[in-house]
Amino acid sequence: MEKRLRKSLLFLVCLLSFQMWAQEREISGVVQDKDGIPLPGVSVFVKDTDKGTVTNFDGEFNLNVPDKTSPVLVFSSLGFISKEFTLGSDNVVNITLETDTESLDEVVVTALGIKREKKALGYAVQSVTSEKLLEGNNTNMVNSLQGKVSGVTISNSGGAPGSSSVILIRGGTSITGNNQPLIVVDGIPIDNSTNSSLEVASTNRASDINPEDIESVSVLKGPAAAALYGIQAAEGAVIITTKKGKAGVSTISYSGTVSFDNVLGTPDVQNLYGQGQQLESETGGITYNPDSPFSWGDRLGSGTQTYDHLKDFYDTAVTYNNNLSYSGGSEKNQVYFSIGDLSQDGVVSGTSYDKTSFKLNTTSKLTDKFTIGASANYIVTETNSTKQGNASGSSYSSLLAYPVNVDINDYLNDDGTQKMIYPDQTYDNPYWSIANSPNSNKVHRLLGIISLSYDFLNDFNISYKLGTDYYNDFSKRITGDGSLIENRADGYISQFQSDHRRTTSNFLLSYDKDITEDFNFSALVGNTVEDLRIHSIYNYGRGFQAPGIYSIGNVLQSNQSITELLTRKRTVGVFGELKFSWKDALFLNATGRNDWSSTLPADKRSFFYPSIGASAIITDLFKNGGTDITSSNGLTYLKFRTTWAKVGKDAPIGALESSLGTNINGLASSAYTYNGVNVGNPNLEPEFTDSYEVGLDSRFFESRLSFDLSLYYSKSDNQILRDIRVPPSAGTFYATLNGGSIVNKGIEALLSLRVLPKTSKLQWNMDYNFGLNESEVKDLPGQLNEVYLSDSWTFNNTAAGAAILNGSLFGLRGKRPVRNDNGDIVVNASGLPSLETTVFEDVNRLPDWTLGITNSLSYQNFNLSFLLDIVQGNDVYNATESALQYYGLSAQTANRDESIVITGVDANGAPNTVQVNKDQAYYQTYYSQNAENFIEDGSFARLRYVTLTYNLPSSLMDKLYVKSAQLYATGRNLLTITDYSGVDPEVNTYGAGIAGAGSVGIDNLGTPNTKGFDLGLRFKF
Amino acid sequence: MKLYKYLFSICIIATAASCSEDYFDVNGSVTAPTTTSLAPQYRIQGAIENTVATAQYRGAREVLGITQYGSQNVAAYYSESWNTFLTTGSYFLWQNSYVYALPNTADLIYLGNQNNAPNYVAVGKILRAYILGMTTDQYGDIVLDETYDSESAMNITPKFQTQEEVYARIFKLLDEAVVQLDEPSSIGLDDEGGDVLYHGDQEKWKKFAYSIKARYLNHLSKKTSGEFAYDADAIIEAAEKGISSNDLNALIMYGGGEMENDNQPFSVNGYGSSRFDYFSDFFVKLLKNSLDLETPVEDPRLTVIVPEAVNGGYQGVVTGRGLDGNPGDDYSLGNGGFYTMPDSPTYMITYSEVKFIEAEAKFRSGDKAGAYGDYIMGIRADMEKLGIPSGEISAYLAIVDEQIGMDNFGLSEIFVQKYISNVLNPETWVDFRRVDYSSDIYPGLMRPENVNQDIFPNENDWIEAMMYEYNEEDRNYENMPNNDPYVRLTTPVWWDTQG
């Protein structure tokens, strides 16, 4: 099978390369660096042909070269100076390559896919290579950045398949808008939105990208880095460059992984008390009514069978991930092609996530000066989920409503209807829901780019890119007939279909000239046009006429409702950049951009924002001045940099006018009326963020130690606040208006260390990624002292994420006891305090600081890497625990026969002396509703992954005609150290679909995160 | 040269796309009309229906525990015990008025002006006066000018104005509307079939306006001085110009079909079906002896309004007591009667109410004969509305003449009959307060059982106003009058104070 496969692939290779079947000779040899260390991965090819190979793990290579006069071999590798060698009569060639100290001329990809020398940049950029990205085997590419970039916080929303991840760079600046960075693939922005993830786990769209296709990721932090990208990159940008074919080398790669995952755990439940609710009898004693979903019933007799429903609900999930890619080409044409298939079973039976991706990337050099490229990536994703959180039909909240002595698997009556555990049961058995209430989502996506580049007149270059991100999203959520949910007895269907198309056109004209020997000047002028169109149709239907047929067509017409939404946006930007450099050591950079956006009123449509940055390579400046402050036992390189940038942001689509609706609720008119919700503001203005950044990059001990540091401060004013809660007398509940101000400041640092010298057999590299951030709300419009997001309301509405005035952007509001002016809790006659809803000034759901420590050790054929992620200072709201207590399931409620006197004062100010029992009423009306009881410190240290890789020896490789092969085993999330009492402090139940202050750090009845093992195989031939 | 040519052509291309303003005109909605784009003939139906279906429904539902037409099956139901839960959070007349009802009227006024259609402006003003009236009667001081008006920028901290100012505005709106209905217009009210109230007949709209004016002038029964002193003549004049027959009753109809909003909210499939469990003991007893005679005479309307209990007979649940362990089948369900069938209309203001208003005004000004005549007409009108056979009507009225007659006739008779004819209308709460919940006026009227003793400790403490909803307090507390329940619920509104 293998032979046949290889044969056909060889044929393919032949089609794509231009082979000349002339006479040949075989050349072999070893490539080493100046210390005699063999160098793997060095490209060896015959000059001006496409014949080439790559050195193996021991630096050895074999190559057939045409037997013509004096063929020239070219040896090249990143970080080394390329060497050419004219072949003589000898067939054995041993080469030594010199380190390219100019590798400090590391090139990073910045905005618009422009490659810049890192040393010339005034702002902070951090790159992650493909190998580092793939470590940890994360299938959502956003997650694979966890812990690897300083200042970036990534929060996974849970262990359900297809869960979203939120990525926040330097905290956030937007109270209600998007705080996530722009994701750019090969110069074209792509959509990273998440559909509302309240009801079911919904993925962020960037997870469609196959991490195996990624060559490198550059994270541009802060507005400075993205001033050229405009509005969407106000929160930074993640620039992804995908793999391209390499000249002279044809490689077929395969990687396959199988993974096993289990939830990190489930909460502890008490198993002493069973089904029932407490009734106070006239004599003051307690009797029990067994007909109840609660676990406030009588004590269970010993020997009664009890179950842990939460624990039993989750299984081991198995995932298969296969990737096959081909990369090859000549100097003129390169191609990269890959197929990836991910098939993931969820930890909840019936849930799954499947992703298949096809990618083709081709580049052609038509002439010396003219290059053309085309790429296409087609991805199909399919997700099956259960409902979560507060949604009706949520599996988690249904599990809570099955007390420990009830057999949850016995849910059907003989006639096939659902068994109720008490009369008037209005929720479904979660296993019944898995069988009868499916939720599915399917996305077909195409990312296509065409690019052209033309050099002319020596110093000029024009490049043009046209890209499209088109996807079709179909989602169907069913409640089966036979449901016990109110009004859903005959079933319910909610589906939507959405066509999302974003087309981007980027035009760049650049000019680069050495004006004098010391001065270099380059300029850039560009134009971007973006066109976004989203067409969605929502269908709802109540009541299936024929049982079991889950289609909208099977619903009575008068019970169907359809809504159509078409939103469009167009932006045009014109920008320019000027760069001056002196002696390649001092750099000055200025940009300016003007945007026109369709989302703002005509007179405010156009807005301009500039940036200025400077950087100085101190070590080179000293060298130029005659003093060399570098030494091999000390400083190797030192650069200072500083930037000031301003970025503008436009309004959400359609925010200028108020649209009408019909049937806005079950009472309202069926004719068009004022909607009360989509209220527009025709006077919106763009908002601006000002940011300042200073930093240094340094290297010591011949680059064995590198240390980068950045300090930043940014202020965002006159924000466009969406869905601000306003008093109903204003005419609506939500308004969109300008106001509010956020200040963001912090520190980022990256320390990289090669612990052992290069000559050592054991190699050990460490990276420390540190970030510290504070996002504070300085001002809010009107009399608002908070802006909260109703989408993040937790169980029983005890708390919700909110931006708090003079507090954190990622704060909390919720119910707490009424206090008098002295700060004492006021207890009423019953002995319990009253609760009021108010803000928590000192809650911050984002961490104070994070530190990601990556270690990579290699010895001979083995490599061990692990990432320890330390996150400190984040508060988590444990609504899951409050729900457990409400239901009487929480282990803490085992103390229900105790009594307590609540510390506080009565209405007259005298100390409270009323004793209350910790009974159902205590927990349900007071304790579980008091949000103060559930705010916890979510600081944690987590071993995100440990990977052991074994590279199969080259002797074996040669026998199998394979270039390289690796076996690896990874353990993920194996160890977490935290004081958080819930299952996982890294939680964001509502996912990335909640904008602004978001719902990071809110633990509300979602599927817990998982820990797992992977076994994998990778080989190239 | 070549360089400049290149640069020039590039610049042209680059700026070409940004030139056209049309290019950016994609922000508007193509799938839904907007508040300023849809002509008023398409808006009038929604404006009328939401006035009643959202605002008036909400204004009636929660005060069921005050107006005591209905009772719930559990004891101490929050609206019946007048406790803070009802009053701090759940009372949503406020938001329904300001968000769902009033803005439609503002749009009608604006669109009427834009489209040269003063009749639409008038309709907007009439409905606006109606909603403002309902709202201020329940809350006292309310937001008046600084709310949505279709044109101004949104004010997110609107000021409150006094009830007196609101009443002045109500009368102004109604007076202007009546004039504007006579002006020529380019669009008929019913051009798109949207005038579900009077089908384009502007004379009927004028009568409706005068009826509302009469109702509101009549609220001032405690006012004795100043601009708003009780003016019986003005009331009588307005009533005479008001609704003159049952055909002109202002109401919205329901079809009783599949859609929830096509069902009378208090009917079995309606939005509020669970809010009106049973008829109240007070109401049923009243109907069993509506003339308060020694030998009770059952009102012929009893069997029409109140369904018979499953176990036979007509019995109501004492408000606030709940079923108290007794079988529900012993009691008359709330849904299923004349006012609570799936296709029952919701009445805004009826001919009989206008007659009772006129009767009260005449009585207070000393014209007992005139008052009695209007009183009888009011009873007859209500019975005809309910479809009582004319024989029974005549029999009942004969008893009235016999046993009560003009000599024994007084405010109590008028108010009781008005109570019976205004089932489920929030207007009843105004009447209760105007007579201080007197059981002389309303025989048998008592506070619900399990009334909140903290706020209403004494036998004679009755609820006088509603608390402002918490959404308003949360975000506009600086402008809001004192919302402490101990103050809000017990302080009478402006027209409820003597002087």
Side-chain angles (χ1 to χ4, degrees):
Chain A
M1 178 54 216
E2 241 203 64
K3 265 217 167 124
R4 244 194 295 143
L5 178 70
R6 282 201 294 124
K7 254 201 184 151
S8 28
L9 284 167
L10 253 173
F11 183 63
L12 234 141
V13 169
C14 291
L15 281 178
L16 294 163
S17 57
F18 309 100
Q19 286 249 6
M20 282 186 291
W21 297 90
Q23 276 251 284
E24 294 190 327
R25 54 195 269 217
E26 188 180 333
I27 309 292
S28 65
V30 177
V31 181
Q32 303 175 337
D33 70 3
K34 65 175 171 43
D35 298 316
I37 311 275
L39 294 172
V42 176
S43 176
V44 184
F45 63 93
V46 183
K47 189 169 181 177
D48 293 334
T49 74
D50 56 280
K51 261 190 145 352
T53 184
V54 168
T55 57
N56 68 7
F57 191 70
D58 291 327
E60 299 162 352
F61 71 94
N62 281 36
L63 185 61
N64 286 334
V65 302
D67 193 11
K68 56 178 194 186
T69 46
S70 313
V72 179
L73 287 181
V74 181
F75 296 83
S76 76
S77 182
L78 192 65
F80 294 91
I81 303 175
S82 290
K83 196 161 193 170
E84 291 187 7
F85 182 84
T86 312
L87 282 175
S89 51
D90 211 350
N91 282 353
V92 174
V93 175
N94 293 330
I95 296 289
T96 305
L97 290 183
E98 301 285 327
T99 321
D100 188 0
T101 50
E102 303 286 285
S103 73
L104 298 164
D105 285 348
E106 180 190 343
V107 159
V108 289
V109 178
T110 65
L112 305 160
I114 301 166
K115 294 198 176 67
R116 284 261 175 275
E117 290 181 330
K118 190 166 179 187
K119 68 182 185 188
L121 297 176
Y123 48 80
V125 182
Q126 194 167 346
S127 287
V128 181
T129 59
S130 174
E131 294 79 48
K132 284 232 169 101
L133 200 71
L134 290 173
E135 253 174 35
N137 293 332
N138 228 302
T139 56
N140 183 339
M141 63 124 311
V142 168
N143 281 340
S144 39
L145 292 170
Q146 261 171 341
K148 295 178 185 151
V149 185
S150 62
V152 172
T153 310
I154 293 170
S155 202
N156 192 21
S157 61
S163 294
S164 56
S165 280
V166 177
I167 171 171
L168 294 170
I169 302 180
R170 294 188 177 168
T173 60
S174 195
I175 301 176
T176 61
N178 182 30
N179 272 323
Q180 297 196 70
L182 179 67
I183 311 271
V184 177
V185 174
D186 293 336
I188 298 288
I190 65 162
D191 179 72
N192 184 29
S193 63
T194 305
N195 275 321
S196 160
S197 33
L198 291 182
E199 271 202 323
V200 299
S202 204
T203 194
N204 57 305
R205 286 267 69 86
S207 71
D208 292 337
I209 306 285
N210 185 355
E212 298 266 350
D213 289 338
I214 298 179
E215 176 71 59
S216 72
V217 177
S218 281
V219 180
L220 314 189
K221 313 175 202 175
L228 277 182
Y229 237 129
I231 305 169
Q232 295 172 80
E235 308 291 335
V238 174
I239 314 285
I240 298 173
T241 310
T242 59
K243 287 182 179 158
K244 302 197 172 29
K246 286 202 179 64
V249 185
S250 295
T251 319
I252 296 173
S253 310
Y254 169 77
S255 94
T257 317
V258 61
S259 312
F260 303 91
D261 280 89
N262 279 303
V263 289
L264 286 168
T266 53
D268 292 326
V269 298
Q270 56 85 8
N271 59 356
L272 301 171
Y273 297 90
Q275 181 181 9
Q277 73 182 63
Q278 296 173 351
L279 301 169
E280 256 190 60
S281 71
E282 267 130 33
T283 54
I286 295 186
T287 55
Y288 299 97
N289 172 8
D291 290 335
S292 168
F294 298 134
S295 295
W296 288 107
D298 207 347
R299 210 179 177 105
L300 294 169
S302 58
T304 322
Q305 168 145 46
T306 60
Y307 307 85
D308 186 341
H309 297 308
L310 288 169
K311 189 148 153 228
D312 296 337
F313 192 62
Y314 298 105
D315 301 323
T316 306
V318 182
T319 308
Y320 300 97
N321 192 355
N322 291 287
N323 281 283
L324 182 68
S325 71
Y326 166 76
S327 154
S330 64
E331 267 191 68
K332 283 206 188 297
N333 299 288
Q334 295 99 40
V335 70
Y336 171 84
F337 173 72
S338 81
I339 303 175
D341 184 78
L342 171 73
S343 178
Q344 179 180 69
D345 236 342
V347 285
V348 173
S349 134
T351 60
S352 64
Y353 175 64
D354 288 282
K355 174 171 77 172
T356 310
S357 148
F358 303 87
K359 182 146 170 75
L360 179 66
N361 210 342
T362 62
T363 333
S364 270
K365 227 174 164 171
L366 295 182
T367 73
D368 242 355
K369 298 194 184 296
F370 188 48
T371 314
I372 184 170
S375 79
N377 190 0
Y378 180 66
I379 309 152
V380 180
T381 9
E382 191 169 342
T383 317
N384 290 303
S385 334
T386 55
K387 296 203 175 72
Q388 63 176 22
N390 296 338
S392 74
S394 153
S395 44
Y396 208 103
S397 51
S398 310
L399 285 168
L400 295 180
Y402 275 83
V404 295
N405 59 329
V406 175
D407 184 0
I408 197 174
N409 284 297
D410 178 23
Y411 60 84
L412 284 177
N413 293 318
D414 293 326
D415 60 1
T417 56
Q418 247 192 101
K419 201 179 252 189
M420 294 199 225
I421 66 167
Y422 69 100
D424 287 350
Q425 176 174 342
T426 51
Y427 54 89
D428 289 325
N429 179 299
Y431 294 97
W432 184 93
S433 294
I434 290 174
N436 295 286
S437 300
N439 303 287
S440 62
N441 173 270
K442 194 156 188 180
V443 173
H444 296 261
R445 189 175 194 181
L446 176 67
L447 299 163
I449 306 176
I450 297 177
S451 56
L452 310 161
S453 170
Y454 179 62
D455 298 321
F456 63 102
L457 294 180
N458 279 340
D459 309 308
F460 284 89
N461 172 277
I462 285 188
S463 74
Y464 181 73
K465 262 196 204 278
L466 180 66
T468 188
D469 175 5
Y470 174 81
Y471 68 85
N472 173 281
D473 187 348
F474 180 71
S475 186
K476 194 168 177 177
R477 296 179 196 165
I478 306 285
T479 303
D481 47 281
S483 167
L484 301 173
I485 298 173
E486 214 176 340
N487 288 340
R488 304 268 161 107
D490 292 326
Y492 185 79
I493 176 172
S494 147
Q495 73 183 32
F496 76 81
Q497 178 146 345
S498 176
D499 265 347
H500 185 287
R501 187 203 71 209
R502 180 197 295 253
T503 308
T504 311
S505 150
N506 273 342
F507 170 82
L508 278 174
L509 171 66
S510 52
Y511 173 76
D512 193 314
K513 181 130 182 109
D514 287 326
I515 301 179
T516 70
E517 203 191 303
D518 291 340
F519 274 102
N520 173 280
F521 168 71
S522 74
L524 184 80
V525 150
N527 164 270
T528 305
V529 177
E530 264 186 33
D531 190 315
L532 173 67
R533 183 180 186 276
I534 307 175
H535 183 217
S536 316
I537 301 184
Y538 300 81
N539 283 320
Y540 306 97
R542 188 152 64 97
F544 296 113
Q545 288 192 281
I549 309 263
Y550 297 146
S551 161
I552 188 77
N554 186 26
V555 174
L556 205 63
Q557 266 212 326
S558 51
N559 280 341
Q560 293 179 16
S561 94
I562 307 179
T563 311
E564 183 186 16
L565 206 58
L566 178 62
T567 52
R568 295 165 298 166
K569 176 171 169 178
R570 288 182 176 152
T571 53
V572 172
V574 162
F575 51 88
E577 181 187 47
L578 296 173
K579 274 167 40 62
F580 298 92
S581 73
W582 180 74
K583 292 209 176 164
D584 223 22
L586 200 59
F587 303 89
L588 182 67
N589 172 297
T591 70
R593 181 174 173 125
N594 199 84
D595 274 308
W596 290 263
S597 166
S598 65
T599 63
L600 291 165
D603 54 350
K604 306 227 179 67
R605 203 189 282 303
S606 155
F607 50 103
F608 175 77
Y609 43 96
S611 85
I612 298 182
S615 66
I617 319 288
I618 304 293
T619 43
D620 285 349
L621 285 174
F622 272 102
K623 257 194 211 146
N624 288 329
T627 347
D628 187 355
I629 58 171
T630 67
S631 78
S632 40
N633 278 342
L635 187 64
T636 311
Y637 172 88
L638 178 64
K639 163 184 159 189
F640 284 140
R641 51 181 162 80
T642 179
T643 308
W644 165 76
K646 200 172 157 120
V647 162
K649 243 194 211 167
D650 59 2
I653 302 176
L656 301 179
E657 41 175 42
S658 316
S659 48
L660 302 172
T662 60
N663 300 307
I664 51 186
N665 58 40
L667 287 167
S669 171
S670 55
Y672 274 109
T673 57
Y674 178 85
N675 179 305
V677 173
N678 299 340
V679 173
N681 180 347
N683 302 317
L684 287 177
E685 299 178 335
E687 63 177 79
F688 286 97
T689 303
D690 258 300
S691 77
Y692 306 86
E693 187 182 320
V694 297
L696 63 85
D697 295 338
S698 60
R699 309 266 179 281
F700 298 86
F701 312 119
E702 289 190 353
S703 302
R704 217 166 123 184
L705 174 92
S706 76
F707 178 67
D708 293 348
L709 177 72
S710 303
L711 286 86
Y712 60 88
Y713 172 89
S714 80
K715 183 158 194 233
S716 193
D717 267 333
N718 205 27
Q719 291 212 350
I720 294 179
L721 302 172
R722 167 140 245 203
D723 291 348
I724 292 287
R725 296 324 191 82
V726 295
S729 57
T732 174
F733 301 108
Y734 318 104
T736 303
L737 35 80
N738 285 98
S741 155
I742 303 272
V743 164
N744 235 315
K745 45 191 190 234
I747 301 173
E748 282 155 12
L750 167 63
L751 177 72
S752 296
L753 180 60
R754 190 172 69 238
V755 179
L756 298 169
K758 248 196 184 167
T759 47
S760 154
K761 278 224 136 167
L762 172 69
Q763 284 294 306
W764 183 6
N765 291 305
M766 294 180 87
D767 282 328
Y768 291 82
N769 273 293
F770 174 79
L772 185 145
N773 173 277
E774 197 184 295
S775 302
E776 206 187 325
V777 180
K778 289 294 192 198
D779 192 32
L780 287 176
Q783 287 161 26
L784 295 172
N785 67 342
E786 48 142 349
V787 175
Y788 76 90
L789 310 158
S790 63
D791 283 350
S792 66
W793 273 120
T794 59
F795 180 78
N796 270 359
N797 293 348
T798 53
I804 310 291
L805 183 60
N806 295 324
S808 170
L809 173 57
F810 301 94
L812 195 78
R813 60 120 58 188
K815 295 194 179 140
R816 50 199 317 189
V818 177
R819 285 180 161 79
N820 63 16
D821 293 329
N822 288 342
D824 301 315
I825 294 180
V826 177
V827 178
N828 59 33
S830 60
L832 295 173
S834 305
L835 296 173
E836 56 170 0
T837 308
T838 179
V839 302
F840 290 82
E841 280 102 10
D842 42 11
V843 166
N844 181 4
R845 292 176 283 116
L846 240 59
D848 293 334
W849 59 266
T850 60
L851 176 62
I853 306 173
T854 318
N855 274 282
S856 178
L857 295 106
S858 59
Y859 182 75
Q860 298 196 334
N861 287 9
F862 287 91
N863 182 285
L864 177 72
S865 302
F866 55 93
L867 167 60
L868 180 68
D869 211 354
I870 303 176
V871 173
Q872 289 293 306
N874 53 318
D875 293 317
V876 179
Y877 184 71
N878 194 352
T880 301
E881 176 64 21
S882 85
L884 280 160
Q885 289 185 7
Y886 184 83
Y887 275 93
L889 263 185
S890 161
Q892 193 176 332
T893 60
N895 64 6
R896 59 187 72 177
D897 40 14
E898 292 170 15
S899 50
I900 187 179
V901 175
I902 295 186
T903 317
V905 297
D906 62 20
N908 301 323
N912 172 46
T913 53
V914 179
Q915 194 175 62
V916 286
N917 295 323
K918 290 189 177 176
D919 55 12
Q920 177 178 351
Y922 169 78
Y923 274 101
Q924 287 195 340
T925 59
Y926 167 64
Y927 194 82
S928 75
Q929 304 297 102
N930 178 0
E932 288 180 359
N933 294 325
F934 303 101
I935 299 174
E936 298 191 39
D937 180 7
S939 305
F940 65 91
R942 169 166 281 169
L943 191 58
R944 287 211 185 272
Y945 60 82
V946 178
T947 306
L948 179 63
T949 315
Y950 173 64
N951 291 292
L952 270 60
S954 42
S955 48
L956 189 59
M957 293 300 96
D958 292 336
K959 284 210 195 108
L960 296 173
Y961 300 99
V962 169
K963 279 185 197 157
S964 71
Q966 282 182 347
L967 290 168
Y968 58 91
T970 307
R972 282 174 286 104
N973 291 343
L974 296 178
L975 179 67
T976 308
I977 303 171
T978 180
D979 282 336
Y980 179 60
S981 73
V983 171
D984 183 10
E986 186 183 8
V987 68
N988 177 14
T989 307
Y990 294 121
I994 314 273
S999 64
V1000 173
I1002 300 211
D1003 184 349
N1004 190 54
L1005 312 175
T1007 307
N1009 267 321
T1010 61
K1011 57 179 190 277
F1013 287 99
D1014 307 329
L1015 286 170
L1017 166 69
R1018 217 189 278 275
F1019 54 84
K1020 288 195 198 299
F1021 60 100
Chain B
M1 245 2 266
K2 227 183 170 188
L3 166 64
Y4 289 121
K5 217 167 77 172
Y6 272 122
L7 282 173
F8 185 64
S9 39
I10 285 160
C11 285
I12 296 286
I13 300 167
T15 51
S18 39
C19 272
S20 155
E21 193 50 49
D22 277 341
Y23 181 74
F24 292 106
D25 189 14
V26 292
N27 204 34
S29 170
V30 295
T31 51
T34 64
T35 49
T36 47
S37 74
L38 193 60
Q41 60 268 37
Y42 298 95
R43 296 292 305 274
I44 181 171
Q45 181 179 348
I48 296 170
E49 289 182 344
N50 274 7
T51 299
V52 183
T54 63
Q56 184 174 324
Y57 164 73
R58 263 354 226 260
R61 182 194 101 181
E62 243 93 10
V63 305
L64 273 175
I66 304 174
T67 57
Q68 298 194 36
Y69 287 108
S71 300
Q72 295 298 86
N73 59 354
V74 295
Y77 189 72
Y78 66 86
S79 64
E80 294 172 3
S81 52
W82 306 349
N83 64 29
T84 51
F85 173 54
L86 150 79
T87 47
T88 47
S90 296
Y91 198 62
F92 288 148
L93 167 60
W94 186 266
Q95 61 174 241
N96 276 275
S97 293
Y98 285 101
V99 178
Y100 295 117
L102 282 171
N104 292 314
T105 65
D107 282 344
L108 272 185
I109 294 171
Y110 171 80
L111 291 165
N113 281 324
Q114 294 292 101
N115 287 280
N116 197 18
N119 50 352
Y120 281 93
V121 178
V123 165
K125 286 181 177 173
I126 295 171
L127 293 173
R128 198 168 181 81
Y130 185 85
I131 300 165
L132 286 171
M134 218 175 8
T135 312
T136 185
D137 284 342
Q138 301 212 6
Y139 293 104
D141 294 350
I142 61 172
V143 168
L144 180 61
D145 283 325
E146 296 191 349
T147 183
Y148 177 83
D149 68 357
S150 313
E151 296 180 86
S152 314
M154 186 184 295
N155 184 335
I156 65 173
T157 50
K159 293 212 175 11
F160 281 65
Q161 289 170 255
T162 64
Q163 186 174 66
E164 192 174 341
E165 285 175 71
V166 179
Y167 265 69
R169 180 67 51 81
I170 291 171
F171 296 129
K172 178 164 181 275
L173 289 170
L174 292 169
D175 288 339
E176 285 174 2
V178 165
V179 169
Q180 284 180 293
L181 279 167
D182 280 336
E183 289 171 17
S185 162
S186 56
I187 319 171
L189 288 177
D190 207 26
D191 277 1
E192 287 296 324
D195 183 1
V196 293
L197 200 47
Y198 290 123
H199 307 293
D201 187 336
Q202 292 180 201
E203 285 303 311
K204 291 183 182 166
W205 275 97
K206 279 159 69 176
K207 292 188 173 181
F208 178 46
Y210 281 116
S211 309
I212 300 173
K213 185 172 179 184
R215 179 196 263 184
Y216 280 89
L217 285 170
N218 194 37
H219 287 175
L220 305 167
S221 51
K222 289 188 184 175
K223 292 288 156 200
T224 51
S225 64
E227 188 189 339
F228 293 105
Y230 190 79
D231 185 351
D233 292 327
I235 296 172
I236 295 163
E237 185 190 338
E240 288 293 307
K241 292 192 197 157
I243 291 171
S244 47
S245 77
N246 272 333
D247 293 332
L248 276 68
N249 284 343
L251 52 85
I252 64 163
M253 315 245 289
Y254 288 97
E258 279 284 331
M259 297 280 291
E260 199 174 21
N261 62 355
D262 194 24
N263 281 263
Q264 163 61 238
F266 291 113
S267 69
V268 68
N269 286 326
Y271 190 86
S273 60
S274 63
R275 302 299 188 155
F276 189 6
D277 286 337
Y278 300 96
F279 274 92
S280 76
D281 181 62
F282 169 67
F283 185 57
V284 173
K285 287 210 172 101
L286 197 72
L287 282 173
K288 286 183 175 171
N289 186 9
S290 52
L291 299 172
D292 195 27
L293 302 171
E294 291 273 325
T295 339
V297 169
E298 186 178 290
D299 194 305
R301 290 170 285 187
L302 172 67
T303 56
V304 175
I305 298 176
V306 179
E308 189 169 3
V310 172
N311 288 345
Y314 297 86
Q315 201 179 348
V317 170
V318 173
T319 307
R321 185 190 289 177
L323 282 174
D324 198 27
N326 297 318
D329 287 344
D330 285 351
Y331 299 94
S332 297
L333 286 173
N335 30 59
F338 177 84
Y339 291 100
T340 50
M341 300 288 284
D343 58 356
S344 298
T346 301
Y347 290 93
M348 300 166 81
I349 184 162
T350 59
Y351 176 47
S352 32
E353 182 184 339
V354 172
K355 286 287 110 190
F356 292 128
I357 292 171
E358 203 175 341
E360 183 183 337
K362 285 181 179 167
F363 187 87
R364 289 189 194 272
S365 66
D367 178 7
K368 228 176 167 191
Y372 188 73
D374 285 329
Y375 163 74
I376 297 291
M377 278 165 75
I379 300 174
R380 179 186 295 279
D382 190 48
M383 291 193 171
E384 282 172 357
K385 176 185 101 190
L386 291 171
I388 310 284
S390 58
E392 287 180 44
I393 302 180
S394 309
Y396 184 85
L397 289 175
I399 298 175
V400 172
D401 277 337
E402 224 177 271
Q403 308 248 3
I404 301 180
M406 206 180 311
D407 301 320
N408 296 329
F409 153 80
L411 282 177
S412 169
E413 280 68 32
I414 299 174
F415 275 85
V416 167
Q417 290 298 332
K418 194 175 173 197
Y419 180 71
I420 299 171
S421 75
N422 261 358
V423 173
L424 292 175
N425 199 312
E427 180 60 17
T428 298
W429 187 22
V430 177
D431 286 342
F432 275 17
R433 284 177 285 170
R434 287 195 299 118
V435 300
D436 299 317
Y437 295 89
S438 160
S439 53
D440 291 335
I441 303 283
Y442 293 99
L445 179 64
M446 292 195 302
R447 304 192 312 167
E449 283 189 18
N450 294 314
V451 146
N452 183 333
Q453 295 295 327
D454 282 340
I455 304 179
F456 306 99
N458 302 319
E459 275 298 310
N460 265 338
D461 289 335
W462 297 84
I463 185 168
E464 306 289 359
M466 278 303 186
M467 290 185 60
Y468 298 111
E469 83 171 60
Y470 73 85
N471 288 314
E472 186 75 26
E473 184 169 6
D474 227 14
R475 277 149 224 143
N476 198 15
Y477 44 84
E478 276 178 29
N479 286 323
M480 182 184 272
N482 189 350
N483 206 27
D484 177 350
Y486 290 86
V487 172
R488 282 252 76 215
L489 302 179
T490 55
T491 309
V493 298
W494 165 75
W495 49 249
D496 199 14
T497 55
Q498 290 291 350

